[in-house]
Amino acid sequence: MVVDFELTDEQKAAVEMAHDFALNELRPIAEEWDRKGEFPKDLILKKAVDAGFTTAGIPEEYGGGGLDQLTSAMVFEELFWGCAGLATSIGANNLATAPILIAGTEEQKKRWLTKLCDGEPRLAAFCLTEPEAGSDVSSIKTTAKLEGDHYVINGQKCFITNGGISDVYTVFAQTEEGLTGFIVGGDYEGVSMGKHEDKMGIRASHTAEVFFDNVKVPVEDVLGEPGRAFVIVMQTLDMTRAGVAAAAVGVARAAFEEALAYAKQRVQFGQPIIVNQGISFMLADMLMKIEAGRRLYYYAGWLATKMAAEGRMSRRLSVASSIAKAFCGDMAMEVTTNAVQILGGYGYMKDYPVEKYMRDAKIMQIYEGTNQIQRYVIAANLMGIKELKQA
Ligand code: COS
């Protein structure tokens, strides 16, 4: 069989469990924490840890759930269906730990991944973005100076999910050799939280600036070779973008379901509005695009799983991940906007969840690389088309 769309028993169980958690734990508190603009860490994190979501992608030998990239993405489609804000904070460990899985030594994995899997409500944060370095990763200004057996890190990171409330940080800074990755403990002296961001959407996630002020990090916690972290960052994003695509599908699906239910019960001119072709075709288009998006992230997630299992990377994965991420991010924006349109005046009000879905969807076109950057990656790889043919 060339392609099999049947989920395995393990995948079915993981998706079902995530769906129940989204329905019973995330949805009931989503609106309140969206309004407050905070991640209710004390309320939800331990539950998410106990259910295994914060460590789902960490291999079992370090205490994690051992889910592959595809299954993990399927799980996050459900959690984002529940609440994109809460799910963003719960899911951020996946991004933060990917560089350790890709480039970490066995000692680093044992020390840091095991710590994250000890059952305590722990978070990890990926510290790449800076005020002047978003899409342009090479222009990072944070420095790390070698002094004997340790580095001293100084700099400022921004828009960091779980910044300032995490136990473990993967941090990217400039050393003499160039961009270098580090693992930094959240309790290290000099690590502090700056401004807590007041966001348009995913408001129930925690986003903040993180400052590194003369933070001493032992040389053992350098990720990979000094100066080689640009590639680690690219490979990390190649591995995680299927998850963002899945997240976008989850938000779009939530909006679609709301719009469909409304269109069936809202009566105007003596009949449910769904009987109007103008509305039913909108819903048909929404479903078509959600289904297309899901197949794209299934493929990117499948390829990421294959590459991780084989211990290699390929530009075919870069392209597949960027296609999935850009398509699904744009699709979620379109579908959620149309859901608001179908609900009309009610859709614009906070009494219904679709305006939240629309605000939440916007970040899907921005985080983990803007959709313009995804198109850049796709186009740049088109210029080296031969590489794409290598599976
Ligand atoms: N895997 C492995 N290596 C990669 C790679 C990948 N996916 N992508 C690039 N590289 C390598 C290249 O082979 C090249 O290596 P050499 O110098 O040895 O030839 C090097 O990295 C530089 O690549 P390139 O010239 O393509 O880099 P550019 O500066 O042109 O483009 C982009 C880099 C824009 C793609 C990159 O900066 C990017 O992805 N930016 C977005 C960052 C982002 O997503 N930020 C969001 C914050 S994370 S929440």
Side-chain angles (χ1 to χ4, degrees), residues 199-220:
K199 305 186 294 292
M200 169 197 272
I202 56 163
R203 289 177 54 77
S205 67
H206 173 95
T207 312
E209 290 175 321
V210 182
F211 293 105
F212 296 90
D213 186 13
N214 287 317
V215 177
K216 281 168 80 170
V217 179
V219 286
E220 300 87 75

Side-chain angles (χ1 to χ4, degrees), residues 95 126 128-129 134-138 230-231 234-235 237-238 241 315 318 368-369 373 376-377:
L95 175 64
F126 182 73
L128 179 72
T129 302
S135 298
D136 184 3
V137 172
S138 314
F230 187 87
V231 171
M234 292 302 113
Q235 293 181 341
L237 296 170
D238 284 352
R241 279 176 181 152
R315 291 308 174 88
S318 311
E368 287 193 42
I373 285 293
Y376 173 90
V377 170

Side-chain angles (χ1 to χ4, degrees), residues 40 53 59 108 148 292 300 304 321 346 366 382:
F53 298 129
Q108 288 171 342
S321 304
Y346 290 109
I366 299 171
L382 283 176

Side-chain angles (χ1 to χ4, degrees), residues 130 140-145 152-155 173-175:
E130 298 184 357
I140 278 174
K141 289 201 168 54
T142 295
T143 57
K145 217 168 147 233
V152 179
I153 302 184
N154 276 292
Q174 302 289 355
T175 60

